[in-house]
Amino acid sequence: MSESDERRVPPRPERPPEPAAEDRRSWLPIILATLAAIVILIVMFFLTGGFIVVVLFMGGLIAAVAGLHYFVWGWWVARIIEREERDDGD
């Protein structure tokens, strides 16, 4: 064998066919993920003696406060930026 035969790059593998449009719009993955989440929550409820409800409530409360904070500050900062851009444009 020559040295060029040893360094030859193998051919690129063929790309698998694209799934049909109706296959990509299936609700099955969403339904399965939802069922899995429900099963996990039920198991966690029994394993923690109901404490998981408190943890989820506190997590939701923290997320709500963080979301409100994000939207209020985002609105305020956006108004400042718009005002600065308008003043610079004159």
Side-chain angles (χ1 to χ4, degrees):
M1 278 191 154
S2 68
E3 190 174 323
S4 64
D5 289 338
E6 292 175 9
R7 294 185 184 179
R8 185 177 299 171
V9 178
R12 182 177 288 186
E14 292 184 26
R15 176 176 267 175
E18 291 290 324
E22 59 271 1
D23 292 340
R24 282 185 255 150
R25 295 185 182 173
S26 174
W27 283 90
L28 184 63
I30 296 170
I31 293 170
L32 289 176
T34 304
L35 287 175
I38 290 170
V39 168
I40 289 170
L41 285 174
I42 290 171
V43 168
M44 290 301 293
F45 180 80
F46 286 114
L47 287 177
T48 61
F51 187 69
I52 192 73
V53 174
V54 176
V55 171
L56 291 175
F57 177 75
M58 294 303 292
L61 188 63
I62 291 169
V65 170
L68 178 66
H69 181 77
Y70 174 78
F71 285 118
V72 169
W73 277 93
W75 173 79
W76 181 67
V77 170
R79 289 191 56 170
I80 291 174
I81 292 171
E82 287 175 11
R83 189 176 312 132
E84 287 180 358
E85 287 178 352
R86 187 176 55 233
D87 291 344
D88 289 343
D90 291 338

